[in-house]
Amino acid sequence: MVNSITIWLSCFCAGAISAVFWRELPSTQSMAVMLALLVVTSSIILFYQNHGSITGQAVMEVLLCLAINGLFVGVLWVASLGHFYYAWQLPQHKIQQDVTIVGHVISGGCLSDDLLNAQDYHQYIVAIQSVDGQSTREFFNPPFFKALLIAGLKFKVRLSHSQYRAENHGVTSHLFTFKRSDDESLPKKAKASCLHDGDVFTAVAKLKPAYGVANPVGFSRQQYLVSHFIYATGYIKVLHTETTFHEHSHRNELADWLSSLNLTHHSWWSALLLGNKTHFTQDDWILLQRTGTGHLFSISGMHLSIVAGVCFFVFIPFIFILVQVFELLRRLRRFASLQLVGFYAYKIQHKGCLFSLKNTGLRVWILVCVIAVCYLYALLSGMALPVVRALLLLTLGCLLTIFKVAWRSVNIGLAMLALCLLLFPFSVLNASFYLSIGAVICIWFFINTLSIHREPWYFAIIKLQIALTVIMMPLTTIWFGNVSVVSLVANLLALPVITLLLPICLISLLISYYLSTSFVGNFAVEVLKWSDYLFGYLLSLLAFLSDLDLSAFTLFIDTSGALCFLGAIILFCLPYWRFKRLCIVLLSLPLGTSLIQWLPPNDEIWALHVLDAGQASAITVTKGDRAIIIDSGAQFRGNAMTATQYLFPLLENLKVKHVDHVIHTHSDNDHAGGLSTVMAHPIAGNATFYSPTFGCERDTMFDWQGLTISFLWPLKGNSQDNNAMSCVVRIAAQSGSVLIPGDIEKESEYALITKELARGTSALNADILIAPHHGSKTSSTDIFIKHVAPKAVIYTQGYENRWRFPALNVVERYRQHNVQQYFTSSEGYTLVTFRKGSFEVNTLRSDLKKRWYLKGKPPRHL
């Protein structure tokens, strides 16, 4: 029986987690076949169970049926919900239109009124009840999916709410003055107001399906949205504040109270005690990343376990005293005034009541109280998914103890994992799932294999922290590509402090709020202030560690190599057997193969990397360990996200050590928004910068790594920096050529052609063309396409952009000339690799990382 549970749960978990690697969802036909096999295997298992003992060959058949059954259940569970997710989508005629919505704020709401003045931009997770009076339950396509609607499942969207029309953040350099472009998409001004969790509101909004840019590195917004069952995104244009129904929770009131205490490190306490990280600055996030302590300040299972542990030891004497009081009341039943109490005490004592304090035992009541307190703590933290997941696991463990179910620890662990996958199936797409589950498994593994529980507590903590740091490093590298060298020291310093301060400060916050006018309340406030003072020393130590030159470094390794290396670490900790060393070496080989990428790349190959930068342009050309940057994407609210999160991490992943040239085709934000970021980056410290008014002029040509870089436009002496005078760059070699014309339009195209015809040259000819002006109808004229004669054209345009780039007539022109067309909005990051005499085009969504949850959406207007 135990082996059956282990096999079935293991295969169920494996089937569900395999969804991370599916290129597409299983078809309805394949799901029908799996369902039939599921019925067959279930019948075989039931047949053998009804015929008594199982021996010989039948044992293997039953075990095989159990494995297939569990695997198919896991696959079918995630696949059916995946089809359900894509069946419940925003109707086409509602996309990017002004619609009136009625919604209920689930999370992301303001926690304190001071945020209204401190922030001008908010993001909410909202359950939309209706759109233009139509219930969201009518959005199913096909309609039969309504029958699968799970009670309580909500049509969740992520809405941004801006309280002002975003102003341009000017950046001036010796090259040009950065200015706002017409290609810059900004949310409209909304009436100043801040919604809270639980508020029901009516608003005019613009919505579009859940989507995001697709690049080989950096945060995947689309994957995040799918993992949280978010069906659409958008922004609020007009909020009808007069009809908003406010229902603020105690969490909001505690946040206001915490703000009123004016603690020096208020943002950190807000994150630690209430799970609110909206006050964190960019420097705070960098500190957490470089020290590897982000998990300490994000309320998770670790914090819940601290609360549970404290409650367990606090409730032991309290429940013991309570039991003794009830026993005393039972003994006093002889007195007439307590006859009623005596009667019930007698019933409890002799009739075996389920809730008997004496018969049920002290431990049961302690566990029940611990679960209740942990549930209240989960409410206080905003019911964050890691906390809810940990609460479910704690509840399962306590129930097994209460009902005295004798399961092995491995079965308990598998049951907890299966429960998480059953209730939160898409969490397998989120890093927190692997980090939290991995940490629990590692703790259990090391406690049992290294006998940590037999060590002195201080030595056990250090030993366990070292083991966790080593074994979790491959997982953090897979998801974040970042390795913190000082994380071990930082966690050894911070973990005891957080473990001590969390329960003390949490209790002090509650006491100071509910007993604010009493002596006890004033004392609790003083405890918080002293804790804040001591906390400053911890932050100073973390800042010191973060500022060290080698505190963290970026490391991109293959996922399979990292997982194999993780297996090698686990095998290293296991007892010795005959082939142990051989297995460790074999599992370490994939990582070694991955690290070979650190060797100098092949100089015979060069590549064009067109990033998915939304409605913007960010391109780089690499050869060996050197690169050229051509445009750096947009900047919004002072943050050049494309440059910081995608462009430079990609170059680091490609082992690029030097950026030799930086060309910004013109100064519009969608092309030059990352200029200041590029100028400040170390690998671009010796780069030569070009713009239409600085160095980029016709007839300028130079050799770079065996490639010929030519500027074809604008003319010498140009003083204008606009679309018409964009830098036109041609990169050529024997293996192929690329033309990058910026945002030129037909007048500039004609001028270029005229100049080339006068010379009798074919400098415009190129194998790969970046579509002028993102495919605008005012560019890509027929004669220009003929002179360039590209084999492929790449449009750098955003999904559902308001200009509807590329224009339909432009797409038709390229189609008439038999040019292969690629859209970054639907294909994502596009890689063109040039080898001797040939080139190859690969896109992320179709080739490099094709996944069902990263499905591309072609432009609707085409």
Side-chain angles (χ1 to χ4, degrees), residues 39-176:
V39 173
V40 171
T41 54
S42 299
S43 301
I44 294 174
I45 295 169
L46 291 174
F47 172 79
Y48 280 114
Q49 284 184 346
N50 292 332
H51 284 72
S53 60
I54 305 174
T55 59
Q57 186 66 27
V59 174
M60 297 303 298
E61 293 177 3
V62 172
L63 294 180
L64 180 61
C65 288
L66 280 169
I68 295 174
N69 189 282
L71 184 68
F72 284 167
V73 169
V75 171
L76 287 171
W77 173 240
V78 180
S80 59
L81 289 176
H83 284 291
F84 178 87
Y85 175 83
Y86 283 115
W88 200 12
Q89 293 292 313
L90 196 66
Q92 293 288 318
H93 63 280
K94 301 291 185 183
I95 297 176
Q96 291 290 66
Q97 301 297 317
D98 288 355
V99 294
T100 301
I101 63 172
V102 177
H104 171 256
V105 180
I106 299 176
S107 64
C110 299
L111 268 185
S112 57
D113 292 336
D114 66 323
L115 276 178
L116 185 60
N117 299 321
Q119 286 184 231
D120 48 62
Y121 183 78
H122 309 281
Q123 283 193 334
Y124 312 114
I125 303 299
V126 176
I128 293 186
Q129 301 169 3
S130 65
V131 177
D132 287 337
Q134 180 185 11
S135 172
T136 52
R137 292 175 177 258
E138 303 298 323
F139 290 170
F140 281 96
N141 185 27
F144 69 82
F145 266 103
K146 289 182 185 179
L148 301 178
L149 183 61
I150 302 172
L153 197 61
K154 302 171 182 177
F155 190 83
K156 293 193 295 185
V157 304
R158 189 168 77 168
L159 293 177
S160 60
H161 184 197
S162 179
Q163 296 178 183
Y164 74 118
R165 183 179 293 274
E167 300 293 340
N168 172 60
H169 299 274
V171 178
T172 305
S173 74
H174 67 288
L175 302 176
F176 49 69

Side-chain angles (χ1 to χ4, degrees), residues 168-358:
N168 172 60
H169 299 274
V171 178
T172 305
S173 74
H174 67 288
L175 302 176
F176 49 69
T177 302
F178 163 59
K179 62 185 182 65
R180 178 181 171 181
S181 163
D182 290 336
D183 294 348
E184 182 179 351
S185 176
L186 295 172
K188 302 294 183 182
K189 183 177 181 180
K191 186 175 181 180
S193 180
C194 184
L195 296 171
H196 301 76
D197 291 356
D199 288 358
V200 178
F201 67 94
T202 303
V204 176
K206 276 196 174 183
L207 303 175
K208 61 181 179 181
Y211 206 59
V213 298
N215 290 295
V217 295
F219 173 69
S220 176
R221 180 171 178 261
Q222 186 176 2
Q223 183 173 340
Y224 168 84
L225 295 173
V226 174
S227 70
H228 286 78
F229 267 97
I230 296 174
Y231 297 90
T233 61
Y235 62 88
I236 296 173
K237 294 184 68 175
V238 179
L239 177 64
H240 299 307
T241 55
E242 67 280 359
T243 60
T244 300
F245 176 73
H246 295 278
E247 189 176 352
H248 300 172
S249 64
H250 287 290
R251 184 168 177 253
N252 295 101
E253 297 172 359
L254 284 171
D256 287 330
W257 174 253
L258 183 62
S259 299
S260 68
L261 298 179
N262 297 320
L263 301 177
T264 306
H265 308 101
H266 168 257
S267 59
W268 296 89
W269 291 116
S270 183
L272 185 60
L273 300 179
L274 300 175
N276 175 30
K277 298 187 287 291
T278 57
H279 292 285
F280 277 172
T281 64
Q282 187 66 26
D283 291 338
D284 294 335
W285 287 113
I286 293 174
L287 172 68
L288 294 176
Q289 182 183 28
R290 293 185 66 84
T291 57
T293 54
H295 64 286
L296 296 179
F297 299 96
S298 298
I299 295 182
S300 61
M302 185 201 77
H303 302 77
L304 191 77
S305 64
I306 293 174
V307 172
V310 171
C311 291
F312 186 82
F313 289 107
V314 168
F315 284 140
I316 286 177
F318 178 76
I319 299 295
F320 178 78
I321 294 173
L322 189 63
V323 169
Q324 296 304 317
V325 169
F326 271 81
E327 181 66 17
L328 179 62
L329 291 176
R330 188 187 67 81
R331 293 177 180 274
L332 294 176
R333 68 183 184 276
R334 66 178 60 92
F335 296 100
S337 59
L338 296 176
Q339 284 299 319
L340 185 61
V341 175
F343 172 76
Y344 283 109
Y346 178 84
K347 298 290 289 182
I348 290 174
Q349 175 72 16
H350 296 286
K351 299 299 183 180
C353 179
L354 179 64
F355 298 100
S356 170
L357 288 173
K358 188 171 182 179

Side-chain angles (χ1 to χ4, degrees), residues 237-507:
K237 294 184 68 175
V238 179
L239 177 64
H240 299 307
T241 55
E242 67 280 359
T243 60
T244 300
F245 176 73
H246 295 278
E247 189 176 352
H248 300 172
S249 64
H250 287 290
R251 184 168 177 253
N252 295 101
E253 297 172 359
L254 284 171
D256 287 330
W257 174 253
L258 183 62
S259 299
S260 68
L261 298 179
N262 297 320
L263 301 177
T264 306
H265 308 101
H266 168 257
S267 59
W268 296 89
W269 291 116
S270 183
L272 185 60
L273 300 179
L274 300 175
N276 175 30
K277 298 187 287 291
T278 57
H279 292 285
F280 277 172
T281 64
Q282 187 66 26
D283 291 338
D284 294 335
W285 287 113
I286 293 174
L287 172 68
L288 294 176
Q289 182 183 28
R290 293 185 66 84
T291 57
T293 54
H295 64 286
L296 296 179
F297 299 96
S298 298
I299 295 182
S300 61
M302 185 201 77
H303 302 77
L304 191 77
S305 64
I306 293 174
V307 172
V310 171
C311 291
F312 186 82
F313 289 107
V314 168
F315 284 140
I316 286 177
F318 178 76
I319 299 295
F320 178 78
I321 294 173
L322 189 63
V323 169
Q324 296 304 317
V325 169
F326 271 81
E327 181 66 17
L328 179 62
L329 291 176
R330 188 187 67 81
R331 293 177 180 274
L332 294 176
R333 68 183 184 276
R334 66 178 60 92
F335 296 100
S337 59
L338 296 176
Q339 284 299 319
L340 185 61
V341 175
F343 172 76
Y344 283 109
Y346 178 84
K347 298 290 289 182
I348 290 174
Q349 175 72 16
H350 296 286
K351 299 299 183 180
C353 179
L354 179 64
F355 298 100
S356 170
L357 288 173
K358 188 171 182 179
N359 290 342
T360 304
L362 180 64
R363 179 182 297 180
V364 172
W365 286 97
I366 292 174
L367 292 178
V368 170
C369 293
V370 167
I371 293 174
V373 172
C374 288
Y375 175 75
L376 295 176
Y377 177 69
L379 290 175
L380 190 65
S381 67
M383 297 299 287
L385 182 57
V387 181
V388 175
R389 194 161 51 215
L391 179 62
L392 288 172
L393 301 184
L394 176 67
T395 304
L396 176 62
C398 291
L399 289 177
L400 291 174
T401 302
I402 291 173
F403 292 104
K404 299 179 180 179
V405 179
W407 280 7
R408 292 188 301 176
S409 55
V410 64
N411 290 330
I412 295 175
L414 286 171
M416 290 179 175
L417 179 58
L419 182 63
C420 287
L421 294 172
L422 189 65
L423 298 177
F424 312 107
F426 285 179
S427 63
V428 296
L429 306 178
N430 203 313
S432 67
F433 171 81
Y434 299 95
L435 296 178
S436 57
I437 296 296
V440 172
I441 293 174
C442 291
I443 291 172
W444 168 81
F445 174 78
F446 285 117
I447 286 176
N448 285 276
T449 58
L450 301 182
S451 300
I452 290 179
H453 57 284
R454 299 177 182 175
E455 306 282 356
W457 67 269
Y458 52 87
F459 187 74
I461 291 175
I462 296 175
K463 195 173 182 180
L464 184 60
Q465 185 61 54
I466 294 173
L468 277 174
T469 302
V470 173
I471 206 166
M472 294 298 289
M473 192 173 293
L475 292 178
T476 55
T477 305
I478 290 172
W479 284 98
F480 306 112
N482 182 77
V483 176
S484 174
V485 178
V486 300
S487 63
L488 177 59
V489 177
N491 278 278
L492 287 175
L493 291 173
L495 186 59
V497 177
I498 298 301
T499 304
L500 176 65
L501 292 183
L502 175 62
I504 294 175
C505 294
L506 190 59
I507 295 173

Side-chain angles (χ1 to χ4, degrees), residues 519-582:
F519 169 77
V520 178
N522 293 330
F523 178 76
V525 171
E526 291 300 319
V527 171
L528 284 171
K529 291 182 177 180
W530 275 102
S531 300
D532 184 55
Y533 177 76
L534 295 174
F535 191 75
Y537 287 102
L538 174 62
L539 289 180
S540 299
L541 287 172
L542 294 180
F544 171 76
L545 294 173
S546 175
D547 291 339
L548 295 176
D549 292 336
L550 297 177
S551 61
F553 62 91
T554 303
L555 177 64
F556 295 97
I557 59 177
D558 183 67
T559 301
S560 58
L563 291 177
C564 289
F565 184 65
L566 178 62
I569 296 175
I570 294 174
L571 289 183
F572 178 79
C573 299
L574 291 176
Y576 177 80
W577 75 90
R578 184 177 180 183
F579 299 105
K580 176 180 177 180
R581 294 178 181 176
L582 177 61

